[in-house]
Amino acid sequence: MADRSCIGIDGSPIDPKIVLTEFGKILDTDYRKVPPEELIEVRAFIDLFEMAPKAMLDREQFDCVELSEGLAISLPSAPAVGLNRILGLRDTGDLDTAFNWMSRKSGRRFLQIDDGAISEEIGQWIADRALVEEGSGWVKLIRPAPAAALPGIEGVTVRRAVPRDAELAGSLMCDGFGFPRQLGPIWSATVSSENWVCLLAEVDGQVVGTGLMFMAEGLAWLGAGTTIPQYRNRGVQKAIIQGRLNLGMAHGVSIFVVETAHPEPGNFNASFNNLTNTGFKRVYSRRNLRLPD
């Protein structure tokens, strides 16, 4: 089994165990297992599915199955890899079960797996099932809790959503990610959950952006950050990132994890830049392998 590819902010290779130790918490570095920074992501999506209104499950064909330490999740009406994928599996038997389950679903479906987890056996498994790599993949980033509260961004006010904001938060996420509006209740459900934080960003009294955070056992997963187009490049997402770090710290989170699109030379990646400028370090790359249609 090869080591995962761990790259510092400056692009130089770094030892993942050193990175995690510097963060004040030594995480499991046996990469035959699913690492904690991926387990928290798996738990977040299982929780998201379990909170979804039951009426949506049949209507939208929203389904999820937990396998070993990972999952397979399917939401065909959402044009997003994150809601139509296999994640967190390292055993070919589990991968077979997930592949067979996912093969009965519609839409674009993916296996997500980090480079270091692709052993010779798993590589052959991928080839035998004709999975095809699509796009440049994702990167996983992590950082420790800040030592003190981070300052806000001038002109942007960030606040935690309350129940009366639930419908608005769901609509913002759908609009930001190009989802049909009928999927809004999936995201709206996070507003009233103990394990989730939904933040809203306001400019001149108007809500213009949002972002989620799932917390469990001292770790937090950040996701679903979006800003309406006319307010982009004004510091809104950086404010939402910092707001989640501050709230997580207040709730006892010690390690924060997040994913974004893999940066490519010559292509500006605002999300990656905002995260690394806020102290996140790239830990490994993840491939998006599409299942045959």
Side-chain angles (χ1 to χ4, degrees), residues 34-205:
V34 181
E37 65 268 23
E38 192 161 302
L39 289 175
I40 186 69
E41 181 186 354
V42 169
R43 289 184 62 179
F45 277 83
I46 291 171
D47 201 66
L48 194 69
F49 170 74
E50 290 177 346
M51 290 190 304
K54 302 307 178 188
M56 290 191 62
L57 302 184
D58 290 335
R59 187 184 75 225
E60 301 298 334
Q61 299 180 340
F62 189 17
D63 202 0
C64 179
V65 60
E66 188 173 357
L67 295 163
S68 297
E69 295 181 307
L71 63 76
I73 190 167
S74 173
L75 182 57
S77 55
V81 174
L83 288 162
N84 295 279
R85 61 177 171 165
I86 299 164
L87 177 69
L89 299 181
R90 301 290 187 270
D91 175 80
T92 54
D94 290 334
L95 286 168
D96 269 334
T97 301
F99 181 87
N100 292 335
W101 183 89
M102 192 66 93
S103 295
R104 298 190 294 270
K105 306 301 180 182
S106 59
R108 298 167 70 247
R109 300 147 301 159
F110 293 85
L111 165 65
Q112 282 198 319
I113 189 165
D114 67 83
D115 289 335
I118 304 178
S119 63
E120 183 177 348
E121 181 184 17
I122 290 178
Q124 187 61 53
W125 183 94
I126 290 169
D128 289 345
R129 284 149 188 81
L131 273 61
V132 177
E133 188 164 6
E134 184 169 297
S136 59
W138 291 7
V139 288
K140 174 72 82 171
L141 303 99
I142 60 178
R143 67 148 292 162
L150 300 174
I153 302 297
E154 185 176 358
V156 184
T157 301
V158 176
R159 63 178 177 86
R160 186 170 185 172
V162 295
R164 68 173 178 272
D165 298 313
E167 184 176 354
L168 172 61
S171 296
L172 271 173
M173 289 183 196
C174 288
D175 292 348
F177 290 102
F179 296 165
R181 278 282 187 99
Q182 70 262 24
L183 300 184
I186 296 173
W187 316 110
S188 298
T190 63
V191 172
S192 300
S193 171
E194 290 183 0
N195 293 330
W196 289 85
V197 167
C198 176
L199 285 192
L200 299 177
E202 297 181 353
V203 174
D204 298 328

Side-chain angles (χ1 to χ4, degrees), residues 144-146 213-216 218-220 245 247-256:
M213 177 170 65
F214 174 81
M215 301 175 291
L219 277 74
L245 293 173
L247 268 173
M249 178 180 64
H251 282 82
V253 171
S254 59
I255 301 288
F256 295 83

